[in-house]
Amino acid sequence: MEWYNVGKIVNTHGIRGEVRVISQTDFPEERYVVGEQIALFKKDSKKPLRLTIATARPHKNFILLSFEGYPNINDVEEFRDGILKVSEKQLSELEEDEYYYHEIIGCNVFDEEGNEIGQVKEIFETGANDVWTLKGVNGKDQHIPVIDDVIKEIDIDGKKIIIHVMDGLLS
């Protein structure tokens, strides 16, 4: 079974079993819902721990979650640094020109002349738009805003993205 990252537990929060999660999904309203099943992959374990979300709420730049059967801080201490994932069965169909993070990460990025710029290694959200972090062909990270003026073509099957390099975009 394929598993897809939706968040990382970075710390506990309070004494009532809540954890701080850095969301890694475009669909937090679907992933972090009371009653939803989610899998926790801890660092030292190869087998996931299946959890049911008991509470979910935004807090600053995090999502605070608690899980059924884990009512206090001592129960969730060991979850720190764990990765939250969903199975491929939990993925919903996307609209045309919408993509999951796992489809974009690993794609090679080229300019309109065919010059390779790098490979998408991370996606993070800003207020206005997502930003892709590329591992540049020169080893230096590049940051590409995901806006229509820059992203010209995405070929998920070919793992290839074409961008328009505006003045000052690449450092």
Side-chain angles (χ1 to χ4, degrees):
M1 179 182 302
E2 290 280 331
W3 293 95
Y4 301 103
N5 290 1
V6 295
K8 180 179 180 179
I9 297 176
V10 293
N11 209 343
T12 57
H13 183 83
I15 61 170
R16 295 197 169 102
E18 284 185 308
V19 294
R20 287 185 188 192
V21 175
I22 294 177
S23 180
Q24 298 170 333
T25 177
D26 271 339
F27 309 103
E29 67 284 347
E30 290 179 28
R31 301 292 170 230
Y32 308 120
V33 177
V34 173
E36 187 71 23
Q37 290 274 319
I38 201 159
L40 171 66
F41 286 77
K42 295 188 273 184
K43 275 187 173 180
D44 304 335
S45 178
K46 294 190 187 326
K47 192 171 182 184
L49 174 63
R50 294 188 187 263
L51 300 168
T52 301
I53 297 174
T55 63
R57 62 188 175 106
H59 177 71
K60 299 183 181 176
N61 293 330
F62 302 99
I63 304 289
L64 298 181
L65 299 178
S66 67
F67 305 105
E68 291 180 8
Y70 299 90
N72 71 55
I73 189 172
N74 297 327
D75 298 326
V76 297
E77 260 310 317
E78 67 186 64
F79 294 173
R80 188 179 301 169
D81 296 324
I83 303 296
L84 296 173
K85 298 185 180 195
V86 294
S87 72
E88 59 191 328
K89 295 176 192 169
Q90 292 173 278
L91 300 180
S92 54
E93 289 292 318
L94 299 179
E95 300 286 324
E96 188 174 335
D97 294 331
E98 289 185 342
Y99 307 95
Y100 283 109
Y101 284 8
H102 71 268
E103 294 175 311
I104 297 296
I105 293 173
C107 285
N108 294 310
V109 178
F110 299 85
D111 66 17
E112 292 169 300
E113 287 77 44
N115 301 310
E116 186 172 6
I117 297 168
Q119 186 177 65
V120 181
K121 70 174 194 175
E122 185 179 32
I123 299 172
F124 61 94
E125 298 175 29
T126 66
N129 54 271
D130 286 353
V131 175
W132 294 342
T133 301
L134 311 182
K135 178 162 178 68
V137 292
N138 60 359
K140 186 175 177 185
D141 284 354
Q142 300 287 342
H143 300 285
I144 306 297
V146 182
I147 56 176
D148 291 340
D149 288 345
V150 174
I151 309 302
K152 295 304 176 187
E153 183 181 327
I154 298 175
D155 176 6
I156 293 300
D157 294 331
K159 300 296 276 179
K160 183 177 181 179
I161 298 171
I162 308 293
I163 68 168
H164 172 69
V165 180
M166 300 164 60
D167 288 341
L169 180 65
L170 303 176
S171 52

